[in-house]
Amino acid sequence: MTNAASPIRLVVTDVDGTLVTGDKRLTPRAVRAVEALRARGIAFTVASSRPPIGLRPLVAPLGLTLPMGAFNGSTVVRPDLSLVDETLIPEAAARKAAARFAAEGIALWVFAEGAWLLTDPAGAYTDLERRTLQAEPRVVDDLAPHLGRAAKLVGVSRDHAALAALELRLAEEIGEGAAVHRSQAYYLDVTPPHVDKGHFVARLAGELDIALAQVAVLGDMANDTAMFSRAGLSIAMGNASEAVQRAATHVTGTNEADGFAEAIETYVLGREPS
């Protein structure tokens, strides 16, 4: 339970694997939980590995009014998707990552200048991403010309174990040139260096004049632990790995069992779990 001396004034949540179910749905209970935060005067927004366009479907159902963190917080947009600011991947790091994905036989998606770019529209997880983003990719013959303006690269593979192993190797190869984290078991994200969800949380809290001790965050993947280390209250999903759960203050239910709503009700609003 939150210390009474530091009541929560801001909640920032991850989206996929946390706020929404595996089939990318907002449950009625999750929507009610956000409405309850608003009624209590607690600010709320999202920080996600999704591109800005992928956050659009959340705006109306959740009544979002604050800036949102896309691409793991490296691009910040308003609810109308107008740009606050963005940081791009250094071109050398983007090209190194793209070369490694090609060498490993892993499909590459590039998010650049507001577009989702790929070469194979029938590739693994493309239909899932269409449903998630509620948008269509732009099919191009060559991704190389777009690597100098990339906000995010994604290596996509059905071989989850291979992608997990590559995560460590690619992070070592790129070093400080970019951040490398899986956002899902099947997506390996490359995003700008030194800008993550934790930076987004700290920046937003500062702009709202809210102490970090009064911020609660929720997530399920390693890229969410940057938020955990900044916020006064951190909640890992029941579907998170043991390492992610150990990094959090509390662990809630899975995203398939309304773990987000349970966490808000129990740890933020102070209700008994149902």
Side-chain angles (χ1 to χ4, degrees), residues 63-220:
L64 300 181
T65 59
L66 291 176
M68 305 178 292
F71 298 135
N72 291 332
S74 62
T75 293
V76 181
V77 295
R78 302 177 184 90
D80 64 0
L81 302 193
S82 60
L83 185 66
V84 176
D85 63 41
E86 68 175 349
T87 304
L88 301 179
I89 305 168
E91 185 171 356
R95 294 196 180 280
K96 183 178 290 188
R100 174 52 59 195
F101 287 138
E104 300 286 337
I106 290 174
L108 173 64
W109 296 344
V110 175
F111 291 88
E113 298 179 299
W116 167 28
L117 307 170
L118 47 71
T119 58
D120 180 6
Y125 298 105
T126 303
D127 282 343
L128 174 62
E129 193 73 356
R130 285 189 176 100
R131 294 195 300 273
T132 299
L133 303 185
Q134 297 183 23
E136 285 293 317
R138 187 201 307 171
V139 181
V140 297
D141 294 328
D142 186 7
L143 293 168
H146 305 280
L147 294 175
R149 291 289 299 168
K152 184 174 80 162
L153 308 184
V154 184
V156 184
S157 177
R158 296 190 189 280
D159 188 338
H160 302 174
L163 210 59
L166 179 59
E167 178 179 13
L168 299 175
R169 299 202 315 274
L170 185 58
E172 290 179 356
E173 288 179 19
I174 294 181
E176 294 295 307
V180 179
H181 291 290
R182 279 177 301 150
S183 58
Q184 300 292 329
Y186 39 84
Y187 292 161
L188 179 53
D189 294 351
V190 179
T191 53
H194 314 304
V195 185
D196 54 31
K197 292 183 182 183
H199 288 87
F200 171 74
V201 167
R203 168 182 170 168
L204 182 61
E207 291 174 353
L208 297 175
D209 195 25
I210 294 174
L212 286 170
Q214 296 177 302
V215 178
V217 297
L218 301 91
D220 73 306

